[in-house]
Amino acid sequence: MAQEKKFKINMTKEALSSFIFTSYYSRFGGVFSILLGIGGVAMAVREIFFRDHIDAPSLAVYVIIAVFCLLVNPLSLPGKAKRQMETSPSYQQPIEYTLFPEYLEVCQGEEHLEVGWELIYKIKMTKSMVAVYTSKINAFVWPLSELGNEKSSILSRVVQYTQEYQPILSGNLKKYRAKG
């Protein structure tokens, strides 16, 4: 295997939306939002079908909670991604990554960062992105569309270089582990 692997990433709205969506719904707040929305639906059904008379103000509150938690909130996340794409300077120009056996090098413009593989906390892949987390809230997000034909090579290296530090891997990345 060659010593280094370089690639450039331009952030995409789809990848950033996927990152925001999965980050939100994998935390307590996102799960609680879903449970609250389901509770709102259950209470509205109870109010309509299992009461002698409908208490309109209560029904309205239950419906508002359900609509906000189950529809408005998830539908607003792509808009949040779009705003971040437009306003964050880090998404205005490509980021160059270099994978070395010892560390991950990140360069953008004049900025330069070396991240030791031992600092990688989690690696998560969805159908549109890979997130390489350095903490519970900080991650490098790589749109899969930007990895192109190099996707397997890049993901294999990242998984293998971090393997001894045992980061949390999403199930679809486990196939890139070294056999042995």
Side-chain angles (χ1 to χ4, degrees), residues 41-56:
V41 169
M43 294 302 289
V45 167
R46 180 179 152 252
E47 190 67 41
I48 294 169
F49 296 109
F50 299 102
R51 296 282 183 142
D52 292 336
H53 74 290
I54 294 175
D55 180 11

Side-chain angles (χ1 to χ4, degrees), residues 125 151-152 155-156 159-160 172-178:
M125 184 168 77
K151 175 182 142 187
S152 290
L155 296 179
S156 292
V159 170
Q160 290 173 24
N172 50 3
L173 286 169
K174 292 179 181 177
K175 66 183 175 189
Y176 294 105
R177 282 188 177 153

